[in-house]
Amino acid sequence: MPNDFHPALNAMLNATSGILVVSGYLLIRRKRVKAHRACMIAAVITSLVFLTSYVIYHFQHGAKSTQESGMGWVRPFYLVLLGSHTLLAITIVPFVIITLRRALGGDFARHKKIARWTFPIWLYVSVTGVLVYFMLYHWYPATP
């Protein structure tokens, strides 16, 4: 399996999760509850697959250093993006768990209250995860 397979897979899983989260949001706004539920469960599963793949890759390969990349003046922006992505990726886990538990338990009033926070954070993490991938592996790859 090529070295860049996991990062590309992780970016695809992040993008898929983001698309599912937005789709779920749009569906619930249209009162399509069953379709919303299916999208959100698929988003959780996709995120779990992402997390598993991410941990496996970084356990095997470690973190990719930006010192070797051709980022130049963009590096500080990248580090801020990566930092906010990482902090919110950690933060979103309990938010998703609580939001999902409340929905599955039928506590929709409390589900809706926390989902208002969960949705934008989860979407931000998904989008910035894809941006981090492109910056690190395509736009500013390590110089040989």
Side-chain angles (χ1 to χ4, degrees), residues 42-63:
V44 169
I45 292 168
T46 303
S47 293
L48 287 171
V49 173
F50 159 79
L51 183 59
T52 302
S53 176
Y54 179 87
V55 168
I56 289 169
Y57 176 78
H58 286 287
F59 182 74
Q60 293 173 344
H61 300 285

Side-chain angles (χ1 to χ4, degrees), residues 64-82 131-143:
K64 186 168 180 171
S65 172
T66 61
Q67 298 293 337
E68 305 158 0
S69 75
M71 284 187 186
W73 66 270
V74 177
R75 189 168 182 267
F77 171 76
Y78 167 79
L79 292 174
V80 169
L81 183 74
L82 179 62
L131 285 174
V132 164
Y133 165 75
F134 276 103
M135 289 182 81
L136 204 53
Y137 291 92
H138 294 284
W139 298 337
Y140 307 101
T143 53

Side-chain angles (χ1 to χ4, degrees), residues 21-41:
V21 167
V22 169
S23 297
Y25 172 78
L26 294 173
L27 287 164
I28 201 61
R29 300 286 294 168
R30 289 167 178 78
K31 311 259 190 268
R32 297 188 53 208
V33 177
K34 287 182 182 179
H36 164 77
R37 180 180 171 142
C39 268
M40 298 315 295
I41 289 172

